[in-house]
Amino acid sequence: MADATRDVEKIYATADVVAKLRRLADALESETPFRISIAGERIRVPKRAEFSIEHERGDGEEEIEFQLKWTIEEDDDEDDEDNVV
């Protein structure tokens, strides 16, 4: 598990985003953990992660963020390892 602070934003091709969102939707629906690669780092999202949608408007721009958030726990690497989508 990485313990360094990280704040990354990466632009992806539409087809890549569609594939990631489709896998995420499958994981959310089946209540299983999810693995995703972002800017070269593979991240495991546990099934207990909370999902939120955020909308921001200002300075002539609008933004929608889909966000998954969870606390890091020791058992994250072991939790349902066989069922990761």
Side-chain angles (χ1 to χ4, degrees), residues 1-72:
M1 176 186 312
D3 54 2
T5 300
R6 184 174 193 228
D7 189 359
V8 174
E9 182 174 333
K10 178 152 174 50
I11 304 296
Y12 286 94
T14 300
D16 293 337
V17 172
V18 168
K20 289 176 187 295
L21 288 174
R22 190 163 284 133
R23 287 181 37 250
L24 172 60
D26 290 345
L28 290 171
E29 187 172 53
S30 63
E31 298 181 353
T32 56
F34 175 70
R35 286 193 194 268
I36 185 168
S37 182
I38 302 171
E41 184 173 328
R42 200 159 157 86
I43 300 150
R44 185 181 180 286
V45 180
K47 65 182 178 184
R48 64 182 158 69
E50 294 180 340
F51 186 82
S52 65
I53 302 173
E54 185 177 320
H55 175 242
E56 297 177 26
R57 179 183 296 135
D59 297 329
E61 293 183 332
E62 291 199 52
E63 182 176 331
I64 295 174
E65 293 181 14
F66 296 90
Q67 185 173 18
L68 290 159
K69 191 172 188 176
W70 65 96
T71 56
I72 299 170

